[in-house]
Amino acid sequence: MNETAITVHDVTAHYGSKKALDQVNLTVPTGAHFALLGPNGAGKTTLVNILCTLRRPDGGTAVVAGADVIARPTQARRSIGVVFQDSSLDDRLTAWENLEFHGLVYGMAAKPRRAMISTVLELVELGDWTHEIVRTFSGGMRRRLEIARALLHRPKILFLDEPTVGLDAQTRQRIWQYLDRLRRESGLTVLTTTHYIEEVENADIVCIIDHGRIIAEAPPEQLKKDHGIRWLHVVPQDATAAEAIVQRFPQAQRLSGTGLALPAGDDDRTDAFLAEFRDRLSEIRFHPPTLESVFLSLTGRELRDRADGQRDADRAAGRRGGRR
Amino acid sequence: MEAMMLLRGLYAIWLREITRATRDRAQLIGGVSRPLIWLLILGVGLNPYFRGEIYGEVRFVIPYTYLQFLFPAVIVLNIMYTSIQFAVSVIWDREFGFLREILVSPMPRPLILLGKVLGGSTIATIHGGLVLILARFADVTLSLQQMFTALGLMFVLAFGLTSFGVILAARVRSFEGFGVFSNTIILPLYFTSSSVFPLDPALTRTQMVTAYPEWLVFLVQVNPITYAVDALRGVIIGFNQFPPTYGLAVIFGMAAVFFVVALIDFSRS
Ligand SMILES: Nc1ncnc2c1ncn2[C@@H]1O[C@H](COP(=O)(O)OP(=O)(O)OP(=O)(O)O)[C@@H](O)[C@H]1O
Ligand SMILES: [Mg+2]
């Protein structure tokens, strides 16, 4: 068996003159849970689209399950399962019809197909909804059905683009348990994208991506050790106080809302800061190194800081498979 | 083994179109009500005016009633509507993301398109076939062999027009845009295909131009649907205004050319 599931070399992508991916390089070992972490618009979906052969990179190469996505896309497609960021179900068909379609298109014979359909429906607890039209499903149910569908043909690599949006904790746990088992037993490789830090704590490798560039790639613990520092989060009493703080301590980062974050390393700047401003703060709190703080120190920004409107527009465009 | 897998995929894509069509009430209602309106109201209403006698000297020699004359054209009309409307299914796949599910699958692009077009043509042929149920009413009797020849031609015609619908879909961005588009295409093509009036073969060319203005005759002659209607008329009521090979050539030609263009469009995207 191949040791690396995915190799990405110098991949570049643009939309018009806008650069979405800038010389991305990464390697995903077989059987790993690889998490791509980045804020909205970082280029996660663009990278997933390239890896699942929906979009050609404008430069560089990508090899998925031993097949070059440009030269041998069909071979690559055989080995992958994809859950897109937005629904790609046919909502005029029933759950079963959607799965049956998928199984047939992947060339599965009747017997294993039927067996797998009940297995995956069971996994996502949609057994009672087998013959219901998907249009009547809730968002979370659709999501579950899509995950079931992506696993139906037993892919070697599973791409999950923000998979857990709209899923409750129990379902999420169930699905991860199943995926972990598949990873152990059959060497399934899982690549997820997310902007929720909590989701990547359990990943084997976390890759932080921002503005189309990979800015860090390591196991979560390693990242915390290398880039994590303590942060002091403060809420100034008023806007003038906030202004004054930023003036005196340019390293302060503005958080969403009225908060500010200051790196609280071992130096005495923290003491100096507190001595100077303690009376003009309404709240102070120390944060131990977390991935969130790793992210903050690497990018200078909080993770969720982009307007939702932008995101929706991008998603509508992304849904068309990269076509405008 | 490999071929078997591809056939399964082709079947899945075809079956999905059929399943979706059976759940689309509006389209079914259109497919049933359109022939009823055309045959019951227009056909019955104009039937008495169609015979030559009332024109005195210049006699139309078509030995058929208007209902019989109109009957094959209504089949073509039903096929045209359903085929071209098929573009909506293509736009739907693109806009609602299902296209990505198909495109990341190992199915080769040409087979994906073939499956979709076959699905669309099957639905259109069925809608055309609905008209055949009214044959008795229009005083048309068909042998089994005529029936199968007609269905075969209808299918090939539907295949070409469905491919045409796919070509349109690639050029239209929205559903709304498409609605306007399809109506401005279908009816003019239908009316200028010698579907509702004959170009009387009994008249010489000069006489024909006297009876009809030259531009209209020209439009009828360059409209490919004219020949499709003519071919079907030949099979169903045994009346041709042009050499029968023209119709066959046009029907098969459209199927081949439009499918290839649709394929080029589809592989490029
Ligand atoms: N179809 C498109 N047309 C133009 N620009 C696009 C298109 N799709 C994405 N972009 C741009 O490319 C960049 C990367 O987008 P991408 O969808 O890959 O981000 P993402 O990391 O998946 O974000 P999110 O977390 O919101 O899903 C964004 O700046 C976005 O504006
Ligand atoms: Mg995304």
Side-chain angles (χ1 to χ4, degrees), chain A residues 252-264:
Chain A
Q253 313 272 5
R254 283 185 189 278
L255 302 176
S256 52
T258 51
L260 292 172
L262 289 104

Side-chain angles (χ1 to χ4, degrees), chain A residues 188-226:
Chain A
L188 174 77
T189 308
V190 182
L191 186 148
T192 54
T193 80
T194 183
H195 49 246
Y196 292 110
I197 296 277
E198 316 84 67
E199 303 220 310
V200 304
E201 295 281 357
N202 297 321
D204 300 323
I205 306 171
V206 176
C207 175
I208 298 183
I209 178 170
D210 190 29
H211 294 305
R213 268 175 221 260
I214 306 277
I215 51 183
E217 184 189 347
E221 291 314 312
Q222 185 78 35
L223 279 179
K224 281 186 214 168
K225 217 156 65 199
D226 294 352

Side-chain angles (χ1 to χ4, degrees), chain A residues 54 74 77 86-88 90-93 97 101-102 104-109 133 149 318-320 323, chain B residues 5 8-9 12 16 19-20 23 92 95-101 103-107 109 173 269:
Chain A
L54 278 188
T74 309
R77 285 179 196 135
D86 298 279
S87 174
S88 63
D90 187 337
D91 68 1
R92 289 192 195 165
L93 300 184
E97 284 164 345
F101 178 90
H102 188 88
L104 281 169
V105 161
Y106 282 78
M108 295 171 76
I133 301 271
R149 185 178 68 179
R319 219 185 288 149
R320 284 164 223 151
R323 304 203 239 182
Chain B
M5 289 169 76
R8 284 193 195 110
R16 167 169 174 259
T19 312
R20 283 171 59 87
R23 298 200 179 136
W92 196 95
E95 294 300 306
F96 292 104
F98 193 79
L99 184 63
R100 289 175 311 175
E101 150 78 353
L103 291 184
V104 293
S105 79
M107 285 285 285
R109 297 283 190 277
R173 291 283 157 229
S269 61

Side-chain angles (χ1 to χ4, degrees), chain A residues 15 18 20 40-46 85 162 310-311 314 317:
Chain A
Y15 293 99
K18 190 173 188 304
N40 292 152
K44 304 182 294 293
T45 299
T46 307
Q85 188 165 356
E162 308 207 7
Q310 167 76 29
R311 173 183 168 78
D314 292 349

Side-chain angles (χ1 to χ4, degrees), chain A residues 91-218:
Chain A
D91 68 1
R92 289 192 195 165
L93 300 184
T94 64
W96 190 83
E97 284 164 345
N98 268 289
L99 295 176
E100 175 79 353
F101 178 90
H102 188 88
L104 281 169
V105 161
Y106 282 78
M108 295 171 76
K111 242 191 181 160
R113 191 171 72 230
R114 301 276 148 80
M116 259 322 261
I117 288 180
S118 16
T119 307
V120 293
L121 277 176
E122 211 51 44
L123 164 73
V124 297
E125 294 179 307
L126 284 175
D128 293 344
W129 295 80
T130 310
H131 296 292
E132 300 293 323
I133 301 271
V134 171
R135 198 168 353 152
T136 63
F137 282 23
S138 74
M141 287 161 69
R142 284 175 204 228
R143 207 72 197 144
R144 273 143 62 193
L145 181 58
E146 282 195 280
I147 294 174
R149 185 178 68 179
L151 289 168
L152 183 66
H153 58 285
R154 301 172 190 274
K156 291 199 191 107
I157 302 176
L158 184 64
F159 293 100
L160 300 165
D161 197 356
E162 308 207 7
T164 46
V165 175
L167 291 190
D168 55 56
Q170 271 161 307
T171 314
R172 211 181 299 183
Q173 202 186 0
R174 230 179 113 81
I175 289 171
W176 272 113
Q177 266 169 10
Y178 184 77
L179 292 183
D180 286 340
R181 205 177 79 217
L182 286 180
R183 288 202 293 131
R184 274 197 315 275
E185 288 172 7
S186 51
L188 174 77
T189 308
V190 182
L191 186 148
T192 54
T193 80
T194 183
H195 49 246
Y196 292 110
I197 296 277
E198 316 84 67
E199 303 220 310
V200 304
E201 295 281 357
N202 297 321
D204 300 323
I205 306 171
V206 176
C207 175
I208 298 183
I209 178 170
D210 190 29
H211 294 305
R213 268 175 221 260
I214 306 277
I215 51 183
E217 184 189 347

Side-chain angles (χ1 to χ4, degrees), chain A residues 4-54:
Chain A
T4 50
I6 303 171
T7 318
V8 176
H9 182 66
D10 275 350
V11 161
T12 310
H14 2 231
Y15 293 99
S17 61
K18 190 173 188 304
K19 220 168 213 168
L21 290 177
D22 190 3
Q23 306 232 318
V24 169
N25 285 287
L26 46 91
T27 319
V28 181
T30 300
H33 170 198
F34 186 96
L36 208 51
L37 174 73
N40 292 152
K44 304 182 294 293
T45 299
T46 307
L47 183 58
V48 169
N49 280 344
I50 288 174
L51 293 180
C52 65
T53 74
L54 278 188

Side-chain angles (χ1 to χ4, degrees), chain B residues 69-88:
Chain B
F69 178 80
L70 188 63
F71 185 76
V74 174
I75 296 180
V76 171
L77 179 69
N78 236 16
I79 292 178
M80 276 170 82
Y81 262 103
T82 312
S83 294
I84 293 185
Q85 206 59 34
F86 183 71
V88 169

